[in-house]
C-alpha cells in the first residue's frame, strides 16, 4: 500500500488535517509552517499524528542543531538533517541528542531540484552509513539516485519528495525503492486536499503493481 507524508508547508484547516491523518503515513512540517503559525499552533494542528517529521534541513554545528530541535519542545518524532555536514562536531552529536529524546534522525543525501549536484552523493552516503540514521531522504525526480540510496541502505526507511509539483509522478519514488513519498503542493493547493491525496495513492498503487525493482 503506497505510503505518503503530507508536506504541510502552509496551514490547512484542523478538520482537513485530521482527515488527511487517516490517509497518510505522516506529516512533514518545517520552517514555512512554523513561521506562519508558530510552534504552539503547529503542535495543535499535528496532534495525534503518528509520524511528525520536522524538516528543518539542519546543516550546522552540533550545538546549533541540538538547540534548534530543543526549541521545538518535543514537537518532532523525526528530524531531517543534511548528511553533508558530516559527523564529528555535527551529526554524531545530533544523533546522540535525538536518541536520548527518542526522536528519529533522517539524513538527506540528495535533493529533488535540478540544480542539486549529485557528485556529492557517494560522500553523503558514506556519512550516512557511519551515522546510521533511522532513514534517508532522496529525490523521486531522479529515480536512479533513489535506486542507489536503496542499494546502499537495503533496510532503512527512505522518504522521497518531488512528486507532483516538481514533476515526478505518484509511485515514481516508490518504484525506485522509497518507502514513503512526500507531497506538498499537489495536496495543500487542491480545493479538496483529502481527495487529492486519495487520487495520488490510487495512481501510485497502479504504478506499483506494474513497476519492477525494489518497491516495498
Ligand atoms: P512539493 O510537493 O510542494 O514540491 O513539496 C515537497 C516538499 O519536500 C517541500 O516541503 C520541500 O521543502 C521538501 N523537499 C523537496 O522538495 N526536495 C528535497 O530534496 C527535500 C525536501 O525536503
Amino acid at each position: 500500500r503506497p505510503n505518503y507524508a503530507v508536506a504541510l508547508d502552509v496551514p490547512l484547516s484542523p478538520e482537513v488535517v485530521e482527515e488527511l491523518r487517516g490517509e497518510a503515513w505522516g506529516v512533514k512540517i518545517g520552517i514555512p509552517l512554523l513561521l506562519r503559525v508558530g510552534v504552539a499552533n503547529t503542535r495543535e494542528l499535528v496532534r495525534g499524528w503518528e509520524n511528525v517529521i520536522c524538516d528543518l534541513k539542519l546543516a550546522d554545528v552540533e550545538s546549533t542543531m541540538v538547540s534548534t530541535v530543543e526549541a521545538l519542545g518535543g514537537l518532532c518524532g523525526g528530524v531531517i538533517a543534511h548528511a553533508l555536514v558530516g559527523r564529528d562536531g555535527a551529526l554524531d552529536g545530533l544523533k546522540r541528542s535525538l536518541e536520548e529524546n527518542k526522536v528519529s534522525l533522517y539524513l538527506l543525501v540528495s535533493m529533488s531540484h535540478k540544480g542539486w549536484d549529485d557528485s556529492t552523493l557517494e560522500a553523503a552516503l558514506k556519512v550516512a552509513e557511519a551515522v546510521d540514521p533511522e532513514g534517508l531522504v532522496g529525490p523521486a525526480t531522479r529515480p536512479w539516485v533513489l535506486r542507489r540510496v536503496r542499494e546502499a541502505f537495503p533496510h532503512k526507511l527512505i522518504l522521497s519528495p518531488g512528486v507532483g509539483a516538481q514533476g515526478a509522478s505518484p509511485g515514481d519514488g516508490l518504484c525506485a525503492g522509497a518507502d514513503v513519498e512526500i507531497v506538498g503542493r499537489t495536496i495543500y493547493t487542491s480545493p479538496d486536499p483529502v481527495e487529492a491525496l486519495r487520487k495520488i495513492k490510487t495512481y501510485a498503487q497502479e504504478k506499483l503493481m506494474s513497476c519492477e525493482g525494489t518497491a516495498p
Side-chain angles (χ1 to χ4, degrees):
R1 175 174 113 83
N3 287 321
Y4 278 86
V6 179
L8 207 56
D9 289 328
V10 298
L12 293 171
S13 77
E15 294 74 27
V16 170
V17 175
E18 185 56 24
E19 240 190 295
L20 286 169
R21 184 163 75 94
E23 294 284 336
W25 169 86
V27 62
K28 185 179 82 69
I29 55 173
I31 294 165
L33 184 71
L34 291 165
L35 292 180
R36 279 194 166 88
V37 308
V39 178
N41 290 325
T42 299
R43 189 190 307 278
E44 227 13 77
L45 203 54
V46 300
R47 190 179 295 283
W49 282 74
E50 196 174 328
N51 293 298
V52 177
I53 308 300
C54 291
D55 180 12
L56 303 160
K57 298 281 170 6
L58 294 173
D60 216 314
V61 296
E62 170 187 332
S63 69
T64 306
M65 294 197 287
V66 168
S67 170
T68 304
V69 179
E70 271 175 11
L72 293 176
L75 172 64
C76 319
V79 162
I80 297 176
H82 271 285
L84 283 169
V85 289
R87 294 174 60 192
D88 199 3
L91 294 173
D92 279 349
L94 175 65
K95 192 190 173 207
R96 223 176 303 120
S97 164
L98 294 179
E99 266 172 2
E100 281 165 16
N101 295 292
K102 300 197 167 29
V103 177
S104 302
L105 174 64
Y106 295 86
L107 288 183
L108 174 61
V109 291
S110 171
M111 290 192 70
S112 57
H113 60 291
K114 273 210 183 77
W116 181 263
D117 178 2
D118 270 318
S119 68
T120 61
L121 180 62
E122 292 304 319
L125 291 174
K126 211 168 144 192
V127 171
E129 263 158 31
V131 172
D132 192 29
E134 174 81 16
L136 292 304
V137 182
T141 47
R142 294 195 305 290
W144 58 94
V145 171
L146 266 188
R147 283 194 286 270
R148 172 69 190 114
V149 179
R150 175 50 79 206
E151 179 188 55
F153 294 96
H155 307 298
K156 295 246 182 246
L157 203 64
I158 299 178
L159 315 182
S160 187
V163 169
Q166 297 181 51
S169 299
D172 281 358
L174 301 171
C175 282
D179 299 290
V180 179
E181 289 182 343
I182 296 168
V183 181
R185 283 163 285 181
T186 307
I187 295 171
Y188 66 68
T189 64
S190 166
D192 187 343
V194 179
E195 185 52 29
L197 175 54
R198 287 197 187 117
K199 275 195 186 137
I200 289 167
K201 284 167 65 182
T202 304
Y203 189 102
Q205 181 73 60
E206 277 164 26
K207 185 124 180 190
L208 265 176
M209 286 193 294
S210 65
C211 74
E212 297 177 348
T214 51

